[in-house]
Amino acid sequence: DGGITQSPKYLFRKEGQNVTLSCEQNLNHDAMYWYRQDPGQGLRLIYYSQIVNDFQKGDIAEGYSVSREKKESFPLTVTSAQKNPTAFYLCASSTKDRVNTGELFFGEGSRLTVL
Amino acid sequence: AQTVTQSQPEMSVQEAETVTLSCTYDTSENNYYLFWYKQPPSRQMILVIRQEAYKQQNATENRFSVNFQKAAKSFSLKISDSQLGDTAMYFCAFMKPFYGGSQGNLIFGKGTKLSVKP
């Protein structure tokens, strides 16, 4: 079945370690997004990519990095520079046609806990 | 900058009854899109309903409908005949049109946790 797969679902890391969250989609979507979700904060945009080999910073990009080498994949690295990385991370995608309609397709999320 | 405000952190409703979730937003744009997304306990967000600002008619999707008041910048969601499966976080979201430079980015409110009780 088509969809967005995020892995791992749960991740524990020590302070100072970089971690990479995987996001893969087989929907043939052009656009991909990373959101961070904190309790009581809603969703905030970290990075987005409209096309392979191109990506843009969102509202809270500091301490994060991404790559978009393949259309299907948009991994997010949470670096040691991110001051408060413990959060729930959601990946989403959309077609070019749907970019203007706002319909995003979301993965099931990854919960990162930094000890 | 656009902002989206959901003033009800939590709500509850009895099964089969009707509930309304509130959302207000702030923008200087004339054309834009508004959305309600649902996040059930499984955590996967899904689109519930969408409204285009230039359309006066309120959007409806089965048991879900909106009351869009453009002048008041209000966008409430009404759920009729509530079902146990409606229990979820509901997020209101705003988006500028693509030609307005939005790149398809959504601005979300902080969410309302809805519990449907049997």
Side-chain angles (χ1 to χ4, degrees):
Chain A
D1 287 351
I4 300 177
T5 302
Q6 289 187 240
S7 62
K9 286 193 175 181
Y10 301 95
L11 185 60
F12 296 87
R13 279 295 182 268
K14 293 182 180 178
E15 261 189 58
Q17 289 182 328
N18 291 359
V19 298
T20 297
L21 307 181
S22 170
C23 178
E24 303 278 333
Q25 54 99 358
N26 60 3
L27 299 167
N28 199 33
H29 285 175
D30 298 292
M32 297 187 74
Y33 305 81
W34 274 105
Y35 284 90
R36 171 177 170 145
Q37 185 176 14
D38 296 283
Q41 290 293 322
L43 278 71
R44 293 179 289 170
L45 182 65
I46 305 172
Y47 267 98
Y48 63 97
S49 168
Q50 298 290 346
I51 195 170
V52 174
N53 292 324
D54 186 55
F55 48 83
Q56 306 295 329
K57 292 182 179 180
D59 300 318
I60 56 166
E62 186 176 350
Y64 300 98
S65 66
V66 293
S67 62
R68 187 85 188 278
E69 297 176 2
K70 298 186 299 181
K71 187 176 185 179
E72 312 82 55
S73 179
F74 191 43
L76 173 74
T77 296
V78 184
T79 75
S80 56
Q82 169 49 233
K83 296 189 187 312
N84 186 18
T86 294
F88 189 65
Y89 292 88
L90 283 164
C91 180
S93 71
S94 181
T95 63
K96 271 186 183 173
D97 293 338
R98 285 186 164 141
V99 162
N100 209 27
T101 67
E103 184 174 3
L104 300 182
F105 292 81
F106 283 86
E108 293 187 347
S110 294
R111 176 163 293 284
L112 171 63
T113 302
V114 175
L115 306 173
Chain B
Q2 289 77 23
T3 58
V4 176
T5 302
Q6 294 178 248
S7 59
Q8 305 152 314
E10 292 193 42
M11 293 189 72
S12 64
V13 63
Q14 291 296 130
E15 199 174 5
E17 293 187 348
T18 296
V19 63
T20 299
L21 309 183
S22 300
C23 173
T24 58
Y25 58 94
D26 188 24
T27 184
S28 58
E29 302 286 334
N30 186 51
N31 195 21
Y32 46 87
Y33 300 90
L34 294 164
F35 311 87
W36 280 98
Y37 274 84
K38 170 184 176 180
Q39 187 180 39
S42 68
R43 308 305 294 268
Q44 189 161 23
M45 302 248 314
I46 55 174
L47 178 65
V48 174
I49 200 164
R50 170 180 170 271
Q51 175 80 42
E52 297 166 42
Y54 65 86
K55 290 186 176 178
Q56 292 185 336
Q57 187 172 5
N58 289 324
T60 299
E61 288 287 343
N62 301 315
R63 297 182 295 107
F64 299 88
S65 61
V66 298
N67 183 5
F68 173 49
Q69 302 289 330
K70 190 173 184 180
K73 296 180 182 176
S74 170
F75 183 61
S76 61
L77 174 70
K78 185 172 83 171
I79 306 174
S80 303
D81 186 25
S82 297
Q83 301 175 0
L84 296 178
D86 295 333
T87 293
M89 282 289 288
Y90 287 82
F91 292 95
C92 179
F94 170 98
M95 190 187 83
K96 291 192 299 183
F98 186 76
Y99 60 80
S102 73
Q103 300 289 322
N105 301 342
L106 296 175
I107 299 167
F108 288 88
K110 294 183 177 183
T112 296
K113 183 178 181 181
L114 176 67
S115 299
V116 179
K117 299 184 185 304

